[in-house]
Amino acid sequence: MRIAFIGAGSIFTPLALYTIANSEILSKAEIYLVDIDKERLEFIEAVGRKIGKVFKKELKIWTFQDIRELEDFGIDYAVISVEKERYKRWRLDFEVPHKYGIKQVLGENGGIGGLSHTLRVVPIVLDVAKKIEDINSDARVFIYSNPEPRVTYAVLNYTKLRNAYGLCTGYLERKETLAPLLRVKENQITFIAAGLNHFTWITELYIDGEESYEKLDSALERNPKFEPLSLLLYRAFGLFPSPSGNHIGEYLSFAWDLIPEEKKGLKWIERTKKEGEEVRKLLQLFLKGFVPKFAFNKFIKFPDIAMNIVEGLEGNKKLQEAINVPNKGYIDLSYGTVVEVPAEVSPKGIKPLKVKLTREVIPMLRTQAEIQKLSAEAAAEGNIEKVVQAVLLDPVVNNAESGLKAIAELIEINLDMLPQFSKEDAEEIRKMIKS
């Protein structure tokens, strides 16, 4: 079993290494850590070896700065979590549209910011995916890079990789927010949800295996100010959304005023950045021996999603509550849209499950499904017409001229990361406004 982590310096890798070390099935795997940043690579290697020592599983770890070096080793599974200058560019993705009066909640995965993000990340991930394809086109590939469903769509449609899946911790984050509300622990909650990544609807909710939507109703009556946007959608459409109000709000025109100040915009970006820095500090203390085994176990609430799925594929059958796959009738959206649904995982493979959503929530999802495809195709093809179409379809764009000016400016700002576009493309968008 050969598992490669590309972008190994990301915050996902330590949890994956912990999951491997605590699994009888995975602990004998060969682990290939790949990152172009030598300092991050050495740090994560040290963390991995320390985890192996603490949990008494000597992990087999190799490190590389170029994925092409893996041609002599081979890959069975690959985890992609790559990004470049994440927070610097994310701030711009939020600030530029906001300057033009477009009030997008986060600007990471939806709205003009999400489109700009897509245009930057898709080329990076496609480059990685094509190198994996050269090594083993049958490898199972798990993608954490945001905007995750758009990136996954691009990999599935512009490479020969057919076993690519998008993964997100959103459903776990929803459990974390619901647990104190329901007065239970996170691991007592399970649910069936479906839709698009960061925009799913819970059709069945369980606490310790018992149907618990009525308990949620009672809890919300006691907490009438819990996530105003999520509560409004629940009251209007009868299904509770996931993962959280500020993530769902990226796709809705009326979300801005319903999201608390501390959970949107630059405050949320800074908070997310700080949380990542705190995780790194914790890992530094762990390396120095200041974080004992029991404390580390307490800090880890859930296993890594990708490694949990690999464990299922290698012999430990399980239900994966959320995985992003191309739609083949799993929900009532167009064929090929990357949708988030539960799936059965076993040595026979990954079997996504059909989920029946109410007809009332489908129109919101359909609009975003088309934006998903257009933005991913625009990024992969360097197609400026599809960029414009994605802008004009977006519900968050309250003014066509403002939306087009914002994306034109973001293209110019990010040209060093947009090999598929030029300054002339940005000017072409501006000419469209003038005409």
Side-chain angles (χ1 to χ4, degrees):
M1 197 191 318
R2 300 159 299 179
I3 307 172
F5 294 90
I6 298 99
S10 82
I11 61 170
F12 293 104
T13 310
L15 178 56
L17 295 172
Y18 169 89
T19 304
I20 290 171
N22 284 275
S23 168
E24 289 300 322
I25 292 175
L26 303 180
S27 59
K28 295 179 178 63
E30 294 186 358
I31 300 165
Y32 307 144
L33 303 177
V34 185
D35 202 300
I36 60 174
D37 187 321
K38 187 178 180 181
E39 181 184 347
R40 282 179 173 269
L41 186 60
E42 290 175 348
F43 177 74
I44 203 65
E45 179 189 10
V47 169
R49 297 199 185 282
K50 180 75 172 182
I51 287 173
K53 183 178 180 180
V54 169
F55 293 96
K56 296 180 169 46
K57 296 281 180 65
E58 188 175 344
L59 301 181
K60 301 172 184 176
I61 298 174
W62 286 261
T63 61
F64 308 89
Q65 284 187 266
D66 188 335
I67 190 174
R68 286 171 292 196
E69 295 178 67
L70 294 180
E71 290 177 1
D72 295 331
F73 293 80
I75 299 174
D76 298 308
Y77 300 99
V79 179
I80 300 175
S81 50
V82 296
E83 183 77 271
K84 184 178 179 182
E85 297 180 348
R86 182 186 182 199
Y87 293 104
K88 173 186 174 182
R89 307 283 176 155
W90 186 0
R91 287 181 69 94
L92 292 168
D93 286 342
F94 175 79
E95 288 176 326
V96 172
H98 201 74
K99 179 178 73 175
Y100 289 102
I102 298 173
K103 294 183 177 181
Q104 49 184 21
V105 177
L106 300 181
E108 183 187 19
N109 297 308
I112 299 296
L115 174 57
S116 174
H117 195 187
T118 304
L119 300 181
R120 286 197 313 276
V121 176
V122 163
I124 298 173
V125 176
L126 284 181
D127 179 61
V128 170
K130 287 171 182 175
K131 289 172 182 173
I132 294 172
E133 175 189 300
D134 290 339
I135 298 168
N136 179 12
S137 60
D138 293 324
R140 283 194 167 92
V141 179
F142 304 104
I143 300 167
Y144 278 122
S145 297
N146 276 327
E148 173 257 305
R150 303 180 186 192
V151 172
T152 303
Y153 178 89
V155 169
L156 288 166
N157 287 275
Y158 294 90
T159 76
K160 295 177 183 177
L161 296 175
R162 288 295 168 264
N163 298 312
Y165 307 90
L167 301 180
C168 179
T169 59
Y171 75 101
L172 300 176
E173 292 162 17
R174 177 46 94 200
K175 291 183 182 186
E176 288 180 347
T177 56
L178 289 181
L181 188 72
L182 295 167
R183 298 172 182 172
V184 298
K185 295 179 180 178
E186 292 96 330
N187 59 13
Q188 291 177 266
I189 301 172
T190 56
F191 54 68
I192 299 296
L196 303 175
N197 178 243
H198 283 192
F199 199 8
T200 65
W201 303 86
I202 299 172
T203 61
E204 300 173 43
L205 174 67
Y206 301 93
I207 299 174
D208 292 329
E210 179 183 341
E211 226 305 315
S212 298
Y213 242 121
E214 286 187 8
K215 290 183 180 179
L216 176 61
D217 290 336
S218 299
L220 291 171
E221 284 181 17
R222 295 193 304 268
N223 298 272
K225 295 183 180 180
F226 178 82
E227 288 190 20
L229 177 60
S230 297
L231 191 55
L232 172 63
L233 293 171
Y234 179 38
R235 287 170 174 165
F237 297 104
L239 295 176
F240 204 77
S242 177
S244 60
N246 62 346
H247 285 87
I248 299 153
E250 288 216 84
Y251 309 104
L252 300 170
S253 60
F254 51 85
W256 177 263
D257 293 329
L258 292 167
I259 305 299
E261 287 298 318
E262 69 273 11
K263 293 192 175 182
K264 63 187 178 185
L266 298 180
K267 288 185 178 180
W268 181 261
I269 295 171
E270 288 304 313
R271 174 179 167 177
T272 305
K273 182 181 180 182
K274 187 177 179 181
E275 286 174 353
E277 291 169 348
E278 288 173 352
V279 169
R280 189 171 177 85
K281 287 177 184 176
L282 178 70
L283 291 172
Q284 288 170 338
L285 292 173
F286 173 68
L287 282 178
K288 294 176 181 177
F290 297 140
V291 180
K293 181 177 178 178
F294 76 88
F296 202 83
N297 276 329
K298 188 177 181 181
F299 172 72
I300 303 294
K301 296 178 181 178
F302 299 100
D304 172 66
I305 304 170
M307 293 305 98
N308 197 45
I309 293 172
V310 172
E311 190 177 56
L313 291 166
E314 292 291 334
N316 188 9
K317 183 178 179 181
K318 57 189 68 185
L319 175 70
Q320 172 57 39
E321 288 173 276
I323 189 168
N324 286 262
V325 295
N327 190 33
K328 296 179 181 178
Y330 308 129
I331 62 176
D332 188 18
L333 289 179
S334 60
Y335 190 91
T337 297
V338 172
V339 296
E340 186 164 291
V341 293
E344 293 176 354
V345 183
S346 73
K348 293 181 179 179
I350 296 172
K351 181 185 176 183
L353 303 178
K354 289 186 178 182
V355 179
K356 181 68 176 176
L357 293 174
T358 57
R359 69 179 179 85
E360 292 84 1
V361 303
I362 295 296
M364 289 181 284
L365 297 175
R366 282 190 179 137
T367 297
Q368 291 302 325
E370 293 311 311
I371 294 172
Q372 173 198 115
K373 293 178 181 178
L374 282 169
S375 58
E377 290 165 3
E381 299 168 8
N383 189 319
I384 209 69
E385 289 182 0
K386 290 183 178 180
V387 170
V388 171
Q389 290 166 357
V391 170
L392 298 180
L393 272 179
D394 202 310
V396 179
V397 177
N398 57 338
N399 179 283
E401 183 174 341
S402 296
L404 294 173
K405 282 182 176 179
I407 196 62
E409 184 170 331
L410 282 167
I411 286 173
E412 282 187 334
I413 289 172
N414 290 299
L415 276 176
D416 60 321
M417 288 183 62
L418 300 175
Q420 72 279 47
F421 293 110
S422 66
K423 189 171 183 178
E424 287 70 29
D425 289 317
E427 286 303 318
E428 192 66 29
I429 294 175
R430 291 193 179 96
K431 286 178 185 176
M432 189 174 294
I433 299 167
K434 293 173 184 176
S435 63

